[in-house]
Amino acid sequence: MDIDFKDIHIGNCLKEQVKEQEISIDRICKYFKMHEEEITKMYDQKSLDTAILLKWCKLAEYDFFRLYVTHLLLYDGISHTKRNKETKKVNGHIIFRKNIYTKEIKEFLVSLVSTNQKSVIEIMEEYNIPRTTIYKWLRKH
């Protein structure tokens, strides 16, 4: 699934995952107890109620909430420390811990470099990721 983590359109993500997983519309309609038109309307929505999104996660066996967590990690500078208030900052930027980079984040950033959308230096500056970490990801992918 190729996702723009900066501007998440959950309906498109659902539609793509359904296509990838080859989930039939009949199964989806039965699961949600809705008509096909209501399901297809969800594909057009930029956001959904969390209870509905949770049902989609279960049906598609995919954590759609992770998309939003990835957005927060990349664009809002949160970290997974026990004491978020005591997170280290240098020049106003949060210093992240190694273990917060998910597979999706790595793939997203590697794809930005490999498709020449951003340089390594731009990623270092925009997302505050160390140069060695980026190059390590590039070597692995």
Side-chain angles (χ1 to χ4, degrees), residues 72-73 76-89 94-97 100:
L72 290 171
L73 290 170
D76 291 331
I78 66 167
S79 75
H80 286 281
T81 58
K82 288 182 182 173
R83 294 181 210 118
N84 215 11
K85 295 176 186 171
E86 297 177 18
T87 304
K88 286 186 181 179
K89 289 188 178 187
I94 292 175
I95 305 299
F96 288 112
R97 295 170 65 183
I100 67 159

Side-chain angles (χ1 to χ4, degrees), residues 4 16 25 30 45 50 94 97 102 119 131 133 141:
D4 176 7
E16 195 172 324
I25 190 67
K30 285 178 186 174
Q45 294 181 7
T50 54
I94 292 175
R97 295 170 65 183
T102 63
S119 68
R131 178 189 314 259
T133 303
H141 293 86

Side-chain angles (χ1 to χ4, degrees), residues 95-106:
I95 305 299
F96 288 112
R97 295 170 65 183
K98 270 186 183 179
N99 61 352
I100 67 159
Y101 302 119
T102 63
K103 177 184 166 194
E104 290 84 2
I105 290 174
K106 292 175 188 177

Side-chain angles (χ1 to χ4, degrees), residues 39-80:
I39 301 299
T40 54
K41 281 182 185 177
M42 283 191 226
Y43 296 151
D44 295 330
Q45 294 181 7
K46 184 169 171 57
S47 63
L48 288 173
D49 179 78
T50 54
I52 292 172
L53 189 57
L54 181 60
K55 287 181 86 169
W56 275 107
C57 291
K58 292 174 183 178
L59 176 68
E61 297 178 4
Y62 184 85
D63 182 3
F64 291 102
F65 293 101
R66 185 183 309 172
L67 305 174
Y68 296 104
V69 171
T70 301
H71 170 89
L72 290 171
L73 290 170
L74 287 173
Y75 299 103
D76 291 331
I78 66 167
S79 75
H80 286 281

